[in-house]
Amino acid sequence: MDPLVITVAPVGGELTRERQPHLPLAADEIAEEVARCREAGASIVHLHVRDEDGAPSQSRDHFARAVDAIKRSAPDIVIQTSTGGSVGMTEEERVQPLDLKPEMATLTTGTVNFGDEVFENPFPLVERFFLRMREIGVQPEFEVFDTGMVETARRLTEEHDAEPRHRHFDLVLGVPGGMAGTAGAVVHMASILPSGATWSATGIGRTHLPVTLAALALGGHVRTGFEDTIYYGEGRLAETNAELIARVSRIAGEVGREVATPDRAREIVGITRRSG
Ligand code: KMH
Ligand code: ZN
């Protein structure tokens, strides 16, 4: 098995301090949290940012501040900016962080019910985001919430990549409206990915541990952090993102799975252009 790539998602696009009092909001708070997560074993940060009032923002400037701060606090970590943003944001808002030419960015390849709301990703928008990433050398991480989204990612790459390129997926399971966060769902999703693709899995809320353990056992990779779960255990809020990352690292150590460095993570997920 490859060494384990652990991605931290420390902020999210929906969470508030009312629900998670330890949520980092300002650029320097995010950067300090990312440094702690890097020490605990994270090699990629899935990044959302906030404005001066703590509200979700996809603005280029807010992203630039957080990216600069992270480059100082955790210089070797892979920065993966979100193009999902928050439910309801426009395409123009969501695309902005790509202007910073991050090494990696997320790309959700379909529309999904998201609790009481709808996370809208019509094919033309997905295709435009994908082509922009290819144009500027950003490696997409295909965020797939159900099986149809895998097929859309396959279609995009088959229609637009003249030469086969490495494809990396994140199975986002346990969203109310998407696929269940069970070990069986991880097994099924992993079985339908294009051959040669790599993948991580994200278990939302209380599905975090079953999804994480299934991914570890199958040779996949893992994402966690406040965006995905605010609890460390039953009824106990996590105090830092780093404690969630440290637990995944410890479990990997117990089962003999090495934890990837950021440079090894770059090789595994297919990043070919290192950011400056
Ligand atoms: N906030 C979710 C609706 C992404 O970052 O690309 C979308 C999301 C996906 O978090
Ligand atoms: Zn996200």
Side-chain angles (χ1 to χ4, degrees), residues 149-196:
M149 294 194 198
V150 175
E151 292 316 304
T152 300
R154 192 194 308 273
R155 174 181 165 195
L156 278 174
T157 53
E158 286 178 359
E159 285 183 6
H160 293 296
D161 288 343
E163 300 290 327
R165 307 265 290 263
H166 182 77
R167 291 173 281 199
H168 182 72
F169 288 79
D170 183 41
L171 319 179
V172 187
L173 304 176
V175 168
M179 275 183 79
T182 60
V186 178
V187 170
H188 179 65
M189 290 293 272
S191 77
I192 64 168
L193 297 179
S195 97

Side-chain angles (χ1 to χ4, degrees), residues 94-166:
R94 287 170 54 182
V95 77
Q96 292 179 71
L98 292 183
D99 288 349
L100 303 175
K101 297 191 171 57
E103 290 180 274
M104 198 173 207
T106 50
L107 179 59
T108 301
T109 50
T111 293
V112 62
N113 281 334
F114 199 85
D116 293 342
E117 301 179 289
V118 181
F119 179 31
E120 287 190 42
N121 294 289
F123 185 77
L125 173 149
V126 175
E127 190 173 41
R128 284 191 288 274
F129 282 8
F130 176 75
L131 291 175
R132 175 87 178 121
M133 289 187 205
R134 284 299 195 230
E135 181 194 355
I136 60 178
V138 174
Q139 174 71 330
E141 176 178 276
F142 297 110
E143 305 288 303
V144 290
F145 294 60
D146 67 32
T147 54
M149 294 194 198
V150 175
E151 292 316 304
T152 300
R154 192 194 308 273
R155 174 181 165 195
L156 278 174
T157 53
E158 286 178 359
E159 285 183 6
H160 293 296
D161 288 343
E163 300 290 327
R165 307 265 290 263
H166 182 77

Side-chain angles (χ1 to χ4, degrees), residues 1 4 6 40-41 207-218 220 222 224 232 242-259:
M1 281 186 196
L4 177 69
I6 307 178
T207 74
H208 163 53
L209 283 175
V211 167
T212 294
L213 296 174
L216 271 168
L218 289 170
V222 170
T224 190
Y232 186 84
E243 68 175 329
L244 295 166
I245 300 301
R247 175 167 57 186
V248 176
S249 294
R250 277 200 308 277
I251 297 170
E254 286 294 322
V255 297
R257 185 116 182 248
E258 185 191 339
V259 174

Side-chain angles (χ1 to χ4, degrees), residues 13-14 46 48 82-87 106 108 114 119 143 227:
E14 321 295 330
H46 168 65
H48 289 258
S82 170
T83 64
S86 267
V87 167
T106 50
T108 301
F114 199 85
F119 179 31
E143 305 288 303
E227 176 167 348

Side-chain angles (χ1 to χ4, degrees), residues 11-62:
V11 183
E14 321 295 330
L15 190 58
T16 61
R17 279 240 169 109
E18 283 67 50
R19 293 188 56 225
Q20 172 43 279
H22 308 291
L23 180 67
L25 296 174
D28 58 340
E29 293 171 347
I30 295 171
E32 283 164 22
E33 186 78 337
V34 170
R36 285 190 284 271
C37 293
R38 171 72 200 94
E39 273 175 37
S43 49
I44 300 179
V45 53
H46 168 65
L47 190 63
H48 289 258
V49 300
R50 302 302 176 100
D51 68 14
E52 291 71 13
D53 299 322
S57 167
Q58 286 288 108
S59 110
R60 184 190 193 284
D61 289 350
H62 291 132

